[in-house]
Amino acid sequence: MTDYYAEKLQEGLEYQDFVTKYFSLCCYSSKKWQNEQGENTLGMEIKYDKVLERTGNVYIETHEKTNKDNEDFVESGCLRTNSWLYLIGNYTFAYVFSTKQLKNMFEKHVFAEKEIGTSKGFLLSSNEAHKYCIHEILY
């Protein structure tokens, strides 16, 4: 695992803790429970988008790799989860999407793919995110 991947993982876990406290969720730690039940008791995948406010875009991850030198990506984010909700945001606000809708958008190539470091996915403008999300949260 590279330092970059470890740093992004830690940022994501800290944001997950923040959202968990906000919703009073119980998160599953083991791979077994996460694979069988999802990330938490609500069935919500939680993703941190550090640059959301600066760029005005929401990055929906679909694939990842632990090291930029790895040849292949593996499914992640909205494609790998068995959660029915997908929350992405920062410490100011967040969008909640239906995971099923995000998968459909990816499969139909509604938005162009983008590769960022060890991640691949697609971008939604804040207007598109507002249009397609099922809920917006202001913390």
Side-chain angles (χ1 to χ4, degrees), residues 87-105:
L87 179 144
I88 184 163
N90 58 31
Y91 291 95
T92 307
F93 66 95
Y95 297 101
V96 179
F97 295 93
S98 156
T99 303
K100 183 177 180 178
Q101 182 181 31
L102 292 176
K103 287 178 184 178
N104 284 335
M105 292 165 75

Side-chain angles (χ1 to χ4, degrees), residues 69-116:
D69 296 327
N70 291 353
E71 190 171 316
D72 297 320
F73 283 88
V74 296
E75 286 187 348
S76 66
C78 69
L79 297 186
R80 185 175 63 194
T81 185
N82 59 356
S83 298
W84 69 286
L85 295 173
Y86 189 95
L87 179 144
I88 184 163
N90 58 31
Y91 291 95
T92 307
F93 66 95
Y95 297 101
V96 179
F97 295 93
S98 156
T99 303
K100 183 177 180 178
Q101 182 181 31
L102 292 176
K103 287 178 184 178
N104 284 335
M105 292 165 75
F106 173 75
E107 290 166 1
K108 292 180 179 179
H109 304 286
V110 175
F111 299 97
E113 282 189 41
K114 181 157 181 75
E115 189 173 323
I116 301 173

Side-chain angles (χ1 to χ4, degrees), residues 8-28 34 37-50 58-61 64 76-91 93-97 99 102 137 139:
K8 296 302 173 195
L9 179 62
Q10 184 60 35
E11 287 176 353
L13 291 173
E14 288 175 11
Y15 181 67
Q16 179 177 296
D17 289 344
F18 172 79
V19 172
T20 298
K21 181 179 178 186
Y22 180 82
F23 283 102
S24 298
L25 294 176
C26 174
C27 288
Y28 300 120
Q34 285 185 356
Q37 305 294 322
E39 197 165 285
N40 51 58
T41 51
L42 184 58
M44 179 169 44
E45 181 79 10
I46 300 169
K47 296 292 183 184
Y48 177 50
D49 193 332
K50 184 177 181 176
V58 178
Y59 179 70
I60 306 296
E61 184 182 79
E64 71 178 348
S76 66
C78 69
L79 297 186
R80 185 175 63 194
T81 185
N82 59 356
S83 298
W84 69 286
L85 295 173
Y86 189 95
L87 179 144
I88 184 163
N90 58 31
Y91 291 95
F93 66 95
Y95 297 101
V96 179
F97 295 93
T99 303
L102 292 176
I137 300 166
Y139 298 113

